[in-house]
Amino acid sequence: MLDLRNMRVVDLSQNWDMHTPGFATYEGPTIKWVKRVAFDKVGGQHIASTLHVGTHLDAPLHFLTNGQDIGSIPLEKLVGPGVVVDLEALGIGDYDLYTSAHFEEWERKTGLHIEPGDIVVVHTGYHKYYPSNWYGECEPDETRYFIKHPGPTREFIDWVLERKISWFAIDAGSMDHPMNTVIRKVRPDLASKCAQKLGRPLEEIWPDDDLQLMHYAMFPHGVFHVENAGGMIDDVLDQRLWIGCFPWKFNGGEAAFCRLVAFVENMSHPQF
C-alpha cells in the first residue's frame, strides 16, 4: 500500500502562462483580467487556449472518433507504479531514433525492469530547452525543443504492446518523432537536415501508414501519454516510483492541461 506520509511529491509539470507555446498549428493561450480588486472588489481572469499547450494529457479521443475522452479515464489508470527512463544518458540526441533496444539497455544498466502495467516517463533532456522550463538547467530554444527531439518508429510500438505498458509521459513536445508529425511539412528545411542526419529519406523511416504512430497505433489500445513534462524530472531519473497525472474531469475533452507528479519514497523507508 502507498503510504503518502512517507512520500515526497515531485512536480514533473512545466509552468503555464501567456507565453507558453502551443504545438505546431495550435494557437497558444490568451489571458486577460476581466475583474480587478480595485474596481470590482474581486479579481477575475478569462483564458482562451487550445489544449495542446504546456504539460497536458492526450486522450484517445484526440485521434479516434468516439474514442475515450479525458473525463472517462479512471483515476486508477492515471495513478500507479512506474519508472523514469533516462534516454539522454544513453547518448540519444538531436533527431535521433530511440528503439526498444535502448529501453532494454536502460534496464540492464539500472537493474530496474519495466513491468506490465507500468507508467513510463521518458526523459530525453529536452525539457531544458522549453521556454517555460522553471527548474534546473534552462537553455530556452523552442526550435530545438519542438523540432529536434528524438522519437520512435514502428518497431517500438510492437514492443510497447508486448510489454503491456500502461501509458507514457515525455519531456518533449510529442511522443512521436517531430518528423513523424505535421512538423515535417511545417519545417521542410529542418526535415531535410533530419533526413541527412539519419542517412535516409524520412518517407522510408515513416511511410504514410506510420504517421504519428504513438497516437494512431497506441490510442486504440488505451496507451495514451502526457506531453511537455519537465519540472523536477532530473531529480527522479532512473528510479522506480509512483506517478500521478491529474487533469480536470473534462467530459468530451480530447486533451486537458494536467499536473504530473511523482511520489518518491523517503530514503529512510524501503522502496516498494
Side-chain angles (χ1 to χ4, degrees):
M1 179 179 293
L2 182 66
D3 186 350
L4 292 178
R5 293 173 300 179
N6 299 326
M7 293 290 170
R8 180 168 61 97
V9 181
V10 178
D11 195 348
L12 306 183
S13 315
Q14 292 286 18
N15 282 345
W16 197 98
D17 57 42
M18 65 177 294
H19 303 293
T20 302
F23 189 71
T25 75
Y26 286 83
E27 291 186 7
T30 59
I31 306 170
K32 63 181 180 180
W33 288 93
V34 295
K35 290 183 180 293
R36 301 296 304 201
V37 172
F39 310 113
D40 304 293
K41 300 182 180 180
V42 65
Q45 293 177 311
H46 175 274
I47 66 172
S49 180
T50 56
L51 296 170
H52 301 271
V53 177
T55 305
H56 67 277
L57 173 65
D58 282 359
L61 182 61
H62 179 37
F63 271 69
L64 301 175
T65 301
N66 295 335
Q68 186 179 36
D69 64 6
I70 290 291
S72 64
I73 300 174
L75 280 174
E76 54 264 32
K77 172 79 170 180
L78 294 173
V79 180
V83 293
V84 182
V85 177
D86 185 6
L87 292 184
E88 183 182 29
L90 299 180
I92 299 171
D94 286 355
Y95 298 128
D96 283 343
L97 304 178
Y98 59 76
T99 69
S100 61
H102 291 110
F103 284 75
E104 291 174 353
E105 178 184 352
W106 175 85
E107 289 179 311
R108 291 190 296 272
K109 174 184 173 184
T110 63
L112 299 172
H113 187 72
I114 299 171
E115 303 289 349
D118 269 352
I119 298 163
V120 176
V121 179
V122 180
H123 174 264
T124 66
Y126 279 68
H127 64 285
K128 62 179 166 285
Y129 305 123
Y130 195 58
S132 298
N133 190 56
W134 58 272
Y135 183 83
E137 186 178 357
C138 298
E139 302 176 26
D141 185 342
E142 65 181 68
T143 301
R144 191 172 186 183
Y145 177 80
F146 281 110
I147 301 180
K148 298 184 180 182
H149 67 80
T153 63
R154 169 70 67 178
E155 173 275 338
F156 186 67
I157 305 303
D158 299 333
W159 180 84
V160 169
L161 296 177
E162 179 181 337
R163 296 293 292 266
K164 296 181 171 58
I165 291 168
S166 182
W167 53 272
F168 287 93
I170 191 167
D171 66 337
S174 177
M175 269 303 297
D176 276 297
H177 194 288
M179 293 305 164
N180 195 28
T181 72
V182 69
I183 289 173
R184 192 193 306 184
K185 294 181 178 179
V186 171
R187 290 298 305 267
D189 56 328
L190 295 181
S192 63
K193 291 184 178 180
C194 176
Q196 184 177 11
K197 167 80 182 289
L198 297 178
R200 52 189 170 133
L202 301 182
E203 294 76 14
E204 289 185 9
I205 301 171
W206 300 286
D208 289 344
D209 288 345
D210 285 359
L211 176 67
Q212 291 196 244
L213 286 164
M214 292 302 293
H215 295 74
Y216 278 118
M218 291 282 87
F219 287 2
H221 299 277
V223 184
F224 44 73
H225 51 250
V226 171
E227 295 168 326
N228 300 325
M232 302 173 73
I233 190 171
D234 286 339
D235 288 357
V236 293
L237 301 181
D238 300 336
Q239 293 187 39
R240 169 162 287 282
L241 30 65
W242 280 71
I243 303 293
C245 173
F246 303 102
W248 84 94
K249 193 171 173 60
F250 184 10
N251 289 337
E254 50 90 13
F257 312 132
C258 67
R259 201 71 176 260
L260 182 71
V261 301
F263 300 96
V264 182
E265 196 160 16
N266 289 331
M267 295 300 292
S268 58
H269 297 274
Q271 200 170 35
F272 66 90

